[in-house]
Amino acid sequence: AEQRLEKIRLDQEKRFASLIEQQESLLEEAQLVEMHADMVEKALQVVNSALDSGMDWDQLEDLVELEARQNHNPVAMLIHKLDLENDQMVMRLQREDAYDDDDEETDKARFLDVTVSLNETAHGNAKAMFAKYRASKEKSKKTTEANAKALEAAEETAKRQMLEAQSRSANITLQAKRKPMWFEKFNWFITTDNYLVLGGRDAQQNEQIVKR
């Protein structure tokens, strides 16, 4: 019972930690899109204009890669990946508290990959992300309340099971301490007149009863 209760506690902690992590990620993504709104909007316009003109998807990807790698186009350099099948693209945006560093790992930490919809403006994307963040916060609040009730119920069940186990254990101990009477190995009962009636379970026991 205690192990099950501890497992429930750990599962709840993991679930809550996951929700908090998701909230922090949604909030940061929304803030970054809002902070880089001008550049995000330019990237959206460039990609959508190319698609509206009928440009082939592969050609568009090659163009973005060329502009970023060779021409160092600041807008193209923000586009990390195109997901045109889902009308999305992944933009690599610099974090608010980022600083220049030559270390490769630190440099990676300076940026966050944010997926934006091609069907929304930069501010429209940020608004949708903030809405997801608020919905996640509301969900975590309800989850916390539900978890508290579930844990309380699990604690009550565990207490009841432990008390029942202790009661059974005490009962078994008491039964074990009683020494069996000599005649209990035979078939026996006591009459209403308080006479003990014995019968052997086999011929050998019948002989034992007669001798006794």
Side-chain angles (χ1 to χ4, degrees), residues 181-191 195-206 208-209:
M181 300 294 285
W182 66 269
F183 54 81
E184 288 186 54
K185 64 180 179 180
F186 305 110
N187 289 323
W188 66 276
F189 67 93
I190 295 174
T191 67
Y195 283 98
L196 174 64
V197 181
L198 297 179
R201 296 178 187 274
D202 52 37
Q204 186 179 0
Q205 281 195 347
N206 283 335
Q208 290 176 5
I209 292 171

Side-chain angles (χ1 to χ4, degrees), residues 7-198:
K7 186 178 183 298
I8 291 170
R9 282 199 191 98
L10 290 173
D11 287 345
Q12 288 184 355
E13 287 173 6
K14 287 179 183 176
R15 196 176 297 115
F16 186 72
S18 177
L19 279 171
I20 295 298
E21 188 178 344
Q22 183 187 39
Q23 286 170 25
E24 290 174 350
S25 179
L26 285 169
L27 180 60
E28 187 179 16
E29 287 178 9
Q31 289 172 338
L32 286 179
V33 170
E34 196 173 57
M35 186 171 73
H36 298 286
D38 290 343
M39 295 297 286
V40 172
E41 188 63 36
K42 286 178 182 177
L44 287 167
Q45 288 176 359
V46 167
V47 172
N48 282 321
S49 294
L51 291 172
D52 290 341
S53 69
M55 182 178 286
D56 182 80
W57 288 6
D58 292 333
Q59 288 179 336
L60 179 54
E61 288 180 357
D62 292 340
L63 177 62
V64 169
E65 187 179 348
L66 179 68
E67 285 293 316
R69 190 176 67 251
Q70 291 188 8
N71 300 333
H72 302 289
N73 185 315
V75 175
M77 289 173 71
L78 286 179
I79 301 173
H80 177 59
K81 181 184 176 183
L82 292 173
D83 183 12
L84 300 176
E85 286 186 9
N86 297 306
D87 292 330
Q88 295 175 338
M89 67 176 168
V90 180
M91 302 194 68
R92 185 156 285 177
L93 304 177
Q94 187 170 339
R95 285 187 158 102
E96 189 175 7
D97 56 351
Y99 54 90
D100 293 330
D101 199 306
D102 293 332
D103 182 70
E104 188 177 345
E105 288 301 316
T106 307
D107 188 60
K108 285 181 181 178
R110 290 170 56 210
F111 298 90
L112 183 69
D113 291 343
V114 182
T115 301
V116 296
S117 171
L118 297 175
N119 299 321
E120 294 283 352
T121 62
H123 289 292
N125 273 287
K127 185 178 179 181
M129 290 172 185
F130 278 121
K132 284 182 181 179
Y133 165 70
R134 288 191 294 271
S136 180
K137 281 197 75 174
E138 187 63 29
K139 182 181 178 182
S140 67
K141 182 183 175 183
K142 290 179 180 178
T143 300
T144 302
E145 291 172 356
N147 284 351
K149 289 180 181 178
L151 188 60
E152 187 178 345
E155 285 174 346
E156 288 298 320
T157 301
K159 284 178 185 176
R160 188 178 69 251
Q161 287 175 340
M162 285 187 277
L163 285 172
E164 287 173 357
Q166 288 170 356
S167 176
R168 284 196 300 271
S169 177
N171 198 30
I172 290 167
T173 304
L174 286 171
Q175 288 177 356
K177 285 181 178 178
R178 189 181 75 80
K179 187 178 179 180
M181 300 294 285
W182 66 269
F183 54 81
E184 288 186 54
K185 64 180 179 180
F186 305 110
N187 289 323
W188 66 276
F189 67 93
I190 295 174
T191 67
T192 53
D193 296 329
N194 209 31
Y195 283 98
L196 174 64
V197 181
L198 297 179

